[in-house]
Each structure stands twice: as C-alpha cells, then as structure tokens.
Amino acid sequence: MKLQTMAGQQVALTAHELARQWRVSFRPKVAIVLGSGLGTVVSALTTEGSIGYSSIAGFPQATVEGHAGLLTYGHWHNVPVVCLQGRAHLYEGHSANTVVLPIRSLMYLGVDTVIITNASGGIRSDLAPGNLMLIRDHLNLTGTSPLLGPNEQSFGPRFPDMSAAYSPELRKIAHEVAEDAGLQLLEGVYAGVLGPAYETPAEIKMLKSIGADAVGMSTVLEVIAAVHMGAQVLGISCVTNPAAGIKQGPLRHEDVKVEAQAAHKQITTLMDGVFGRLESP
Ligand code: HPA
C-alpha cells in the first residue's frame, strides 16, 4: 500500500506497531468497538491477548469513565476479532483523524467488518431505556469528517458512497439472530452530535424533525472512515435514557453507564449469533 498523506503514514505506523505487539499469526477479520459501559461484552471472546492503548504508538487515550482503553484480540466462533474497549471522542479534544485512527489501523491490517456499539438517548417514542436499536442510517451532525484534507487514495475514493453505510446484509442477519433468540431489536436513525453537553429539549425537537430516532456523541466518524476503506458495518445502539425533554428529569452519565451495562447480555447474545453465522468455513 503506497501511503501519500500524513494521515495515511500515521495509520501505517500504528498498524505496524500493533502487528509487532500481537502474534504474527494473528490476522483480524472483524473489529468491534465497545461503547460506554459495554466493555464486558469482551468476555465472550476466546482471548489471545490484550494491549493497553497507552502502549500503542499513536492511539488516542480513552479518558472517559466507562471506557477501559484496552485492545483485546482473540476469536469469537473461530472468527479472528479485535475488540476496542473504549474510544476517543471529538469532545475530548481529539481531531476527527485521531478519533478514527484505531479503526483505520485495524482496517489496514485486514479487517473487513466493523461492529460498532454505542449508548444513545431515545428520541422516537418506542425507544425506551434498555432497548437495542440497530442503526439503519446516521446523521453526521458533528460538523466535521475524518476525510477532510488530502484524500488517502489507497484507503478509498475522494467521494465515498454512503447510501448503504450500515450493511443491509448484516442487518438482515442481526434481525434473524434476534428473532431466533427472542430478543427485541428495533431499528432506526442515529444522530451523531459533538457533545459533551447533553442536548437541550429544543435540540431534541429539532433532531426529531430532521429524522433522528436516537442521539449520541460517537460512531458517525468511525463509520465514515470504515466505509471509506471498504468495510461492511453493523451498528448497534443501546438506548440508555429518554433524550432530553422526552421525559422529566436530568440526564447523567452515571445512569447511561448503568443502563448500558444492563444491556451487555443482550448485545453479547446478538453478537454471538452474528458470529455464529460469519464463522469461517
Ligand atoms: N444524548 C447524547 N448522547 C448520549 C445520550 C443522550 O441522551 N445518552 C447516551 N449518550
């Protein structure tokens, strides 16, 4: 791969560093990003090793409570998987390029499927705390993109198509798995905002009117970068609270974490079924 841009060179450096730290024979196929409070999903892996983000050159540190900052690799139903427990957000002061560096590095190392999880506030009336929402599409309202600046042609095209960013095939599989397992799995549009303040009730009204079903402060940049590099993406949002103004009462990160932790079993069951179907022959 010939890398022309600064972002491209950074990704190559980090990817080589990662490959040096794990067993040479390990070639990941799927990357999983675990959002706030969802880190325990990793216990379903047959783990081969873990690396702290602080020892991976170029990796942004996860500073938010509920984000471990650990990369764990292993197998799930024979599928070689890397789990990112914790992510960097724009609101921590990172650039869009830095936020997506972990995903890009894993794509560079051979990942072709990205499963992204997050916690969100429910806007649509049927999205209650504890519900899982498969992300059908997103609204990038962060005001930025990881694709700004010179395009790294070896990653993907200048103007990538985003019309099926969340793989219809993977969504179909996820729905089948949910039905078999008796899990309720809703579907909707995720609005990615900058944060870190939770939205005002007026902002939630506006988001509703432009087609958002749930709102959160992550995911959209990672999905843009992954799709740019040709990944198929599955997005699962764990609704942790009614969005501002939908119900009375303040929003607190503590409650978001507790509610996400409570959903880890459902998410694990869902992913387990998806991996059962992705399993290499
Ligand atoms: N708004 C933004 N981000 C969130 C929310 C919310 O209500 N809940 C969890 N993450």
Side-chain angles (χ1 to χ4, degrees), residues 119-122 193 197-199 204 215-217 238 240-244 251 256:
S120 64
V193 297
Y198 288 116
E199 302 69 37
I204 293 299
V215 59
M217 304 173 194
C238 169
T240 54
N241 56 280
L251 302 188
V256 166

Side-chain angles (χ1 to χ4, degrees), residues 68-82:
L70 204 61
L71 177 153
T72 299
Y73 58 98
H75 284 79
W76 197 332
H77 281 288
N78 286 337
V79 182
V81 168
V82 174

